[in-house]
Tab-separated table of all heavy atoms in Angstrom:
chain	number	residue	atom	x	y	z
K	5	PRO	N	252.787	68.115	92.759
K	5	PRO	CA	253.500	67.093	91.984
K	5	PRO	C	254.670	66.527	92.786
K	5	PRO	O	255.314	67.245	93.553
K	5	PRO	CB	253.995	67.856	90.759
K	5	PRO	CG	253.096	69.030	90.641
K	5	PRO	CD	252.702	69.392	92.045
K	10	THR	N	258.291	70.138	87.555
K	10	THR	CA	257.628	69.491	86.421
K	10	THR	C	256.532	70.425	85.930
K	10	THR	O	256.180	71.368	86.626
K	10	THR	CB	257.014	68.137	86.835
K	10	THR	OG1	256.195	68.341	87.983
K	10	THR	CG2	258.087	67.113	87.147
K	16	ASN	N	263.571	68.488	77.822
K	16	ASN	CA	264.050	68.773	79.176
K	16	ASN	C	263.625	67.616	80.089
K	16	ASN	O	262.794	67.768	80.981
K	16	ASN	CB	263.441	70.098	79.657
K	16	ASN	CG	263.832	70.414	81.093
K	16	ASN	OD1	264.881	69.975	81.571
K	16	ASN	ND2	262.973	71.142	81.800
K	37	ALA	N	261.421	52.637	76.625
K	37	ALA	CA	260.473	53.750	76.744
K	37	ALA	C	261.189	55.089	76.578
K	37	ALA	O	260.667	56.018	75.948
K	37	ALA	CB	259.760	53.696	78.089
K	47	ILE	N	267.466	58.087	81.205
K	47	ILE	CA	268.270	57.358	82.188
K	47	ILE	C	269.671	57.951	82.157
K	47	ILE	O	270.414	57.788	81.187
K	47	ILE	CB	268.292	55.853	81.895
K	47	ILE	CG1	266.861	55.311	81.829
K	47	ILE	CG2	269.097	55.107	82.963
K	47	ILE	CD1	266.747	53.883	81.360
K	76	ASN	N	279.334	44.781	99.250
K	76	ASN	CA	280.340	43.976	99.978
K	76	ASN	C	281.706	44.656	100.045
K	76	ASN	O	282.555	44.256	100.843
K	76	ASN	CB	280.517	42.613	99.302
K	76	ASN	CG	279.308	41.738	99.517
K	76	ASN	OD1	278.655	41.820	100.559
K	76	ASN	ND2	278.984	40.917	98.532
K	105	PHE	N	266.322	45.960	92.492
K	105	PHE	CA	267.474	46.266	93.364
K	105	PHE	C	267.216	45.612	94.711
K	105	PHE	O	266.245	45.949	95.384
K	105	PHE	CB	267.617	47.783	93.513
K	105	PHE	CG	268.787	48.223	94.348
K	105	PHE	CD1	270.080	48.042	93.902
K	105	PHE	CD2	268.581	48.837	95.577
K	105	PHE	CE1	271.171	48.464	94.671
K	105	PHE	CE2	269.654	49.276	96.349
K	105	PHE	CZ	270.951	49.081	95.884
K	124	VAL	N	259.638	49.054	92.036
K	124	VAL	CA	258.626	48.165	91.463
K	124	VAL	C	258.758	46.825	92.180
K	124	VAL	O	259.866	46.325	92.398
K	124	VAL	CB	258.776	48.022	89.926
K	124	VAL	CG1	260.129	47.462	89.507
K	124	VAL	CG2	257.647	47.171	89.354
K	132	PHE	N	253.118	40.224	100.375
K	132	PHE	CA	254.291	39.489	99.892
K	132	PHE	C	255.537	40.342	99.626
K	132	PHE	O	256.063	40.369	98.505
K	132	PHE	CB	253.912	38.694	98.638
K	132	PHE	CG	252.632	37.926	98.786
K	132	PHE	CD1	251.649	37.971	97.804
K	132	PHE	CD2	252.383	37.176	99.933
K	132	PHE	CE1	250.456	37.279	97.960
K	132	PHE	CE2	251.177	36.478	100.092
K	132	PHE	CZ	250.218	36.534	99.094
K	145	GLY	N	247.701	30.777	98.046
K	145	GLY	CA	246.499	30.419	97.284
K	145	GLY	C	245.680	31.603	96.814
K	145	GLY	O	244.459	31.495	96.646
K	155	LEU	N	256.363	54.613	96.108
K	155	LEU	CA	257.455	55.399	96.693
K	155	LEU	C	258.091	54.557	97.787
K	155	LEU	O	257.408	53.767	98.437
K	155	LEU	CB	256.909	56.673	97.341
K	155	LEU	CG	256.645	57.876	96.457
K	155	LEU	CD1	256.244	59.051	97.345
K	155	LEU	CD2	257.859	58.222	95.626
K	159	GLY	N	260.996	50.661	104.978
K	159	GLY	CA	260.569	49.262	105.079
K	159	GLY	C	260.966	48.460	103.835
K	159	GLY	O	261.553	48.990	102.898
K	179	GLU	N	255.520	28.820	89.735
K	179	GLU	CA	256.124	30.116	90.067
K	179	GLU	C	256.606	30.844	88.815
K	179	GLU	O	256.389	32.054	88.652
K	179	GLU	CB	257.289	29.897	91.040
K	179	GLU	CG	257.931	31.183	91.515
K	179	GLU	CD	259.098	30.929	92.456
K	179	GLU	OE1	259.336	29.756	92.835
K	179	GLU	OE2	259.768	31.910	92.815
K	186	ILE	N	253.340	38.363	85.684
K	186	ILE	CA	253.465	39.602	86.464
K	186	ILE	C	254.471	40.547	85.794
K	186	ILE	O	254.234	41.754	85.686
K	186	ILE	CB	253.909	39.288	87.921
K	186	ILE	CG1	252.811	38.526	88.651
K	186	ILE	CG2	254.255	40.572	88.664
K	186	ILE	CD1	253.243	37.968	90.010
K	194	LEU	N	255.762	50.258	84.988
K	194	LEU	CA	256.867	51.080	85.507
K	194	LEU	C	257.177	52.265	84.586
K	194	LEU	O	257.142	53.421	85.042
K	194	LEU	CB	258.105	50.210	85.774
K	194	LEU	CG	259.318	50.962	86.341
K	194	LEU	CD1	259.008	51.591	87.699
K	194	LEU	CD2	260.532	50.031	86.455
K	221	PRO	N	242.611	70.729	85.789
K	221	PRO	CA	243.432	71.815	85.259
K	221	PRO	C	244.867	71.693	85.759
K	221	PRO	O	245.103	71.206	86.844
K	221	PRO	CB	242.773	73.070	85.833
K	221	PRO	CG	242.011	72.605	87.017
K	221	PRO	CD	241.644	71.183	86.784
Side-chain angles (χ1 to χ4, degrees):
T10 52
N16 177 27
I47 304 172
N76 289 327
F105 182 68
V124 60
F132 313 133
L155 277 186
E179 184 181 354
I186 293 170
L194 181 62

